[in-house]
Amino acid sequence: MKDFSRRNFFHLAGAGALVGAAGEFRLNAQQQYPAPVPATPIFPYTSRAPVSLVKGDNRRKNVLDALVAIDREVKPAMARKKYVLLKVNNVNTAKQLAATHVDAIRGILDYVAPRFKGPVVIAESSSGDTLEGFDNYKYAQVIPEYKRLNIKLVDLNREQKYEVFTIVDTNIRPTAVRLASQLQDPDAFIISAAMLKTHDSVIATGSVKNMVMGSPIHNPPTEKRWSDKGLMHAGTIGKFNPHAMNYNLAIVAKHLRPSWGVAVVDGFEGMEGNGPVNGTPISVQVAFASPDFLAADRVAVEIMGIPSYAVGYMQYAAELGVGQYDLSMIDIRGEKPEAVKKTFKLHQSSNIQLEWLNTLVKPA
């Protein structure tokens, strides 16, 4: 894959040609990045997007206030659905810093409770035992606290209801992946509860990736071990095709997007360094929300001090029209990103993760 370009990749994947630039770079302790890389959208996204940004010393209140600030967009859309599905992020079932905090869930439910009659499903398909994570993070506590919402905790792996979708493997060959049906349910108003975290394969993770990587399922505890989550990586960590992985994340996001409701990012305590599991805490004390998941992620990387073009799947998703990724087209309500910015230390493998930028080519 040494001579493989992003332009050639998208031709093979059937998505069209993209604009890129070749360049040498290195990432050192000062986190030097290559120069910006312009890209021509395949499906231009022209709508403006609101993102509310709140800073405060209470995680739960921050989340609630962020949702209230976009109430005029969220409440009518939620009212049209039969139930709310709260997609938490439990990439790890034992480390709280890597997972959605129960107080962030409470902030979301504080917003939902007076505006929606229920029911509410809290769902995840963790790479481990999802119910173990729910127990460790004390999610069941919210059930009696919000009785009217008739809350249920659902392990999408145990549920084993899925639809088959086609992605690509490390050699750009079609391969099938099983995506949880409930995360594609047109009757659900889906709320993504993500965090600010660096990543070991794609620089940073956020709302879009929370939905995309929460969709592939694996075996229930009673079956022999199998998992479709690894297929999304197009190889193993450190030995994956970054073009294929970024493309897989973007194309699944394009597929799932019609069912999305609102993205909520809890940045009260982010994770920097070796995320998304083994990083260290960084206090930011913010929360933000948007009906446009990609716009929320654009604000996320701005707050983290990461150039938007450095996160491949986000740039690919923007080119595929998943959402608004142009900061000048995002209407910030509340705090300004530059006022709360904290430069996150990246994963120790960031140089490897950014290699995909070295293979971009200029159009003829």
Side-chain angles (χ1 to χ4, degrees):
M1 301 303 295
K2 185 176 180 180
D3 298 323
F4 197 79
S5 72
R6 187 170 66 133
R7 179 184 172 92
N8 291 335
F9 173 78
F10 268 71
H11 272 304
L12 287 174
L18 302 175
V19 177
E24 294 297 327
F25 69 90
R26 62 189 178 88
L27 194 70
N28 60 20
Q30 284 72 47
Q31 298 187 158
Q32 293 181 351
Y33 291 89
V37 179
T40 302
I42 299 164
F43 301 105
Y45 193 87
T46 58
S47 299
R48 299 192 67 85
V51 176
S52 60
L53 177 55
V54 174
K55 182 175 175 62
D57 59 6
N58 185 294
R59 184 197 305 266
R60 179 175 178 173
K61 187 175 186 300
N62 287 352
V63 170
L64 171 61
D65 289 348
L67 283 166
V68 169
I70 55 171
D71 185 60
R72 66 174 179 262
E73 289 86 9
V74 176
K75 184 179 177 180
M78 186 167 61
R80 292 192 291 268
K81 301 296 184 176
K82 293 181 179 179
Y83 68 101
V84 168
L85 190 152
L86 175 50
K87 167 58 176 70
V88 294
N89 186 321
N90 285 184
V91 65
N92 183 276
T93 59
K95 294 184 179 181
Q96 178 61 82
L97 186 62
T100 302
H101 197 284
V102 69
D103 279 345
I105 294 176
R106 287 188 174 103
I108 293 171
L109 296 176
D110 287 344
Y111 172 80
V112 172
R115 296 169 175 83
F116 192 77
K117 294 181 179 180
V120 171
V121 172
I122 297 175
E124 174 62 305
S125 64
S126 173
S127 58
D129 187 333
T130 303
L131 296 186
E132 181 180 275
F134 287 174
D135 184 57
N136 287 339
Y137 304 135
K138 306 186 186 306
Y139 290 171
Q141 290 182 353
V142 305
I143 296 176
E145 294 173 12
Y146 301 87
K147 289 183 180 179
R148 191 175 66 82
L149 292 179
N150 190 25
I151 298 171
K152 294 181 180 179
L153 303 179
V154 173
D155 174 13
L156 299 172
N157 295 318
R158 282 179 169 86
E159 193 176 49
Q160 287 293 294
K161 295 178 181 179
Y162 61 84
E163 296 180 17
V164 176
F165 186 74
T166 304
I167 57 173
V168 296
D169 66 12
T170 189
N171 294 311
I172 322 299
R173 295 176 300 200
T175 189
V177 62
R178 286 161 283 196
L179 304 180
S181 296
Q182 199 157 16
L183 297 184
Q184 306 169 66
D185 188 351
D187 290 330
F189 183 82
I190 296 180
I191 302 175
S192 168
M195 298 91 75
L196 288 177
K197 294 192 294 182
T198 52
H199 200 268
D200 57 13
S201 301
V202 290
I203 301 297
T205 180
S207 305
V208 169
K209 193 168 182 298
N210 179 44
M211 295 304 306
V212 171
M213 286 306 296
S215 297
I217 61 173
H218 67 67
N219 63 290
T222 56
E223 290 187 9
K224 184 179 179 180
R225 179 67 180 172
W226 59 266
S227 177
D228 283 1
K229 291 186 182 295
L231 298 176
M232 296 291 296
H233 289 78
T236 58
I237 294 174
K239 295 182 180 179
F240 61 94
N241 180 334
H243 291 284
M245 181 177 183
N246 283 313
Y247 172 76
N248 285 341
L249 293 173
I251 200 67
V252 172
K254 179 77 170 178
H255 174 67
L256 295 176
R257 180 184 174 275
S259 65
W260 292 350
V262 64
V264 178
V265 181
D266 170 24
F268 192 78
E269 187 176 50
M271 180 186 286
E272 65 176 353
N274 290 346
V277 176
N278 298 313
T280 53
I282 176 171
S283 178
V284 190
Q285 294 191 321
V286 299
F288 47 103
S290 177
D292 185 325
F293 285 40
L294 192 61
D297 288 351
R298 178 64 184 87
V299 171
V301 295
E302 192 73 14
I303 292 171
M304 298 168 76
I306 298 172
S308 59
Y309 64 88
V311 186
Y313 75 91
M314 292 185 189
Q315 182 164 302
Y316 284 180
E319 293 164 27
L320 293 177
V322 172
Q324 185 55 258
Y325 204 55
D326 180 351
L327 198 61
S328 70
M329 292 287 288
I330 297 174
D331 300 317
I332 307 293
R333 299 176 188 171
E335 300 285 343
K336 300 303 180 186
E338 59 269 22
V340 299
K341 181 178 178 179
K342 293 279 187 81
T343 301
F344 280 48
K345 296 177 183 176
L346 300 186
H347 193 279
Q348 64 185 10
S349 69
S350 296
N351 279 325
I352 296 173
Q353 296 179 50
L354 288 167
E355 278 296 321
W356 70 281
L357 285 168
N358 270 339
T359 60
L360 301 184
V361 295
K362 292 181 179 180

